[in-house]
Amino acid sequence: MKSNNKLPPLKPLSLATFIAGFTMVQPNLSLAACTGDVYLRTCDLQGSHTINYEAYKKEVDFTLRSNRNGHAQPFAIKVTPETGRKFQLFSDSGDSLDISLSFSSRNSASTPLRPEIFSNQYPGSLNDLNNFLSIKINPTNAITSNYYYGHFQMEVMQYLDSLPADSQIVNFDIEMEVEPSISIRNLGNIYITDASFSSGQDITGHEDFCIDGVGFSNYLVNLTSRNGITSGARGAKMFQLNGAMESLPYAASFTDDMSQTRGARTQSIGQARGTLSRIAPGRCLTDNARLIVTIPAGSWEQARGSYYSDVITVTVTSQ
């Protein structure tokens, strides 16, 4: 005989229990983010704050209250860097980046801060109200890393009848992430005419250009030829110039030393290392890289044509 008794369907009690348990701990997390007491405290400032270099606004937002005996009391702040006597961020390689900090309370106008010096007094409040630390990057600094950090300490001073009455100290970190970007500018064609030909001598030409970007200090340059690779003197692998009747082997090289007229840093193929000159990002007012081509005497002296060409692709990769 079959039984008509069926087990009732399972209810998602575990999911409901999990959600309820999660929401119950939120008040404790909020309290753990505060430093001070009910009369003078900051919330959400202690710890690490990550900003993005590309963001239009770079801010650390937190709340602050200052009161005593049921009345709001004015306060002032002082920010002290852990390292040095000015506001800076540092990369893992030790490069420094100058920054400036400004403070605004309750949507007031932003006021610049000076290291280790108290700001002007601001109105206090009975409740936790929004405050902002704004970070500005010195535009003359080269951004040579994709990560910077700095350790700081903020002292909040409360005043009663214009006299210091109480204070608290909060330690916090500012971390900045940089998305590396790289560009090539001012790279033109290389023209070689018979005015530079001398019997028994290699022909050399070069073109200066600019490598620019942020988030890196070193890079790799890779050169490739549209015409491909051929064999030069003694079987060496070289690029080739194509003409109507034949091809001519030649070498292409790169250097970041603008005093060089030969690519001593590279071979005819493969990758070459370079170091980014400390120029302001997006400027490229001065060229800092050089592409060099060399046609061996044994190659061009045997040429039967009058016009040869190739297209070199320059690929730069940040390191």
Side-chain angles (χ1 to χ4, degrees):
M1 174 180 287
K2 295 184 179 180
S3 174
N4 292 325
N5 294 328
K6 296 183 179 180
L7 293 176
L10 294 176
K11 296 181 180 180
L13 295 177
S14 59
L15 177 60
T17 302
F18 175 78
I19 293 176
F22 181 82
T23 56
M24 288 176 60
V25 302
Q26 289 300 316
N28 293 331
L29 291 176
S30 177
L31 291 174
C34 297
T35 302
D37 53 36
V38 295
Y39 304 110
L40 178 66
R41 77 176 188 180
T42 61
C43 296
D44 301 322
L45 178 60
Q46 184 169 338
S48 296
H49 303 271
T50 301
I51 62 174
N52 188 282
Y53 173 74
E54 287 76 19
Y56 175 72
K57 289 186 176 181
K58 304 173 181 63
E59 294 179 335
V60 173
D61 58 297
F62 60 100
T63 63
L64 190 152
R65 69 165 63 175
S66 175
N67 64 80
R68 190 71 55 175
N69 301 324
H71 299 282
Q73 301 296 339
F75 68 92
I77 66 167
K78 177 177 69 175
V79 177
T80 301
E82 182 185 70
T83 303
R85 304 194 65 178
K86 59 182 180 178
F87 297 137
Q88 289 182 309
L89 301 178
F90 300 89
S91 70
D92 291 336
S93 62
D95 288 341
S96 61
L97 186 65
D98 294 338
I99 65 172
S100 58
L101 297 179
S102 57
F103 175 74
S104 60
S105 177
R106 301 161 64 177
N107 297 321
S108 64
S110 185
T111 303
L113 297 175
R114 298 175 62 187
E116 304 181 37
I117 297 178
F118 274 106
S119 67
N120 295 329
Q121 293 184 23
Y122 292 87
S125 63
L126 297 176
N127 300 314
D128 300 323
L129 297 181
N130 291 332
N131 294 266
F132 299 92
L133 274 178
S134 298
I135 300 99
K136 185 177 181 180
I137 310 300
N138 189 330
T140 63
N141 287 170
I143 313 299
T144 59
S145 177
N146 61 1
Y147 175 78
Y148 290 85
Y149 63 91
H151 307 294
F152 303 89
Q153 183 181 89
M154 176 184 286
E155 181 177 359
V156 183
M157 181 68 70
Q158 185 184 79
Y159 293 85
L160 293 177
D161 299 325
S162 301
L163 295 176
D166 193 10
S167 68
Q168 63 157 282
I169 290 178
V170 185
N171 296 301
F172 64 98
D173 300 336
I174 295 176
E175 301 178 345
M176 186 177 74
E177 296 178 344
V178 182
E179 182 69 26
S181 63
I182 193 167
S183 62
I184 299 175
R185 306 173 189 268
N186 308 334
L187 181 59
N189 296 326
I190 301 175
Y191 295 99
I192 298 176
T193 64
D194 57 4
S196 58
F197 294 5
S198 179
S199 180
Q201 299 295 318
D202 296 345
I203 300 172
T204 299
H206 68 268
E207 170 66 12
D208 294 340
F209 60 102
C210 180
I211 296 176
D212 187 22
V214 297
F216 66 96
S217 57
N218 297 300
Y219 55 85
L220 289 176
V221 173
N222 189 64
L223 306 177
T224 56
S225 163
R226 185 178 66 180
N227 295 338
I229 304 297
T230 186
S231 295
R234 299 178 181 176
K237 298 296 183 180
M238 305 182 76
F239 294 155
Q240 60 182 0
L241 290 165
N242 284 353
M245 303 175 62
E246 61 193 341
S247 297
L248 302 181
Y250 77 99
S253 57
F254 163 84
T255 181
D256 60 4
D257 185 348
M258 303 305 290
S259 66
Q260 294 291 323
T261 57
R262 292 184 178 273
R265 297 175 64 95
T266 72
Q267 296 177 351
S268 59
I269 58 176
Q271 293 179 326
R273 294 189 178 274
T275 301
L276 186 68
S277 300
R278 287 183 172 271
I279 56 177
R283 299 288 181 85
C284 267
L285 300 179
T286 303
D287 290 333
N288 58 5
R290 176 168 288 178
L291 173 65
I292 304 169
V293 296
T294 302
I295 309 172
S299 175
W300 70 265
E301 287 182 333
Q302 304 299 319
R304 293 174 293 171
S306 60
Y307 180 82
Y308 300 85
S309 66
D310 189 19
V311 175
I312 298 175
T313 299
V314 180
T315 303
V316 183
T317 306
S318 61
Q319 296 290 292

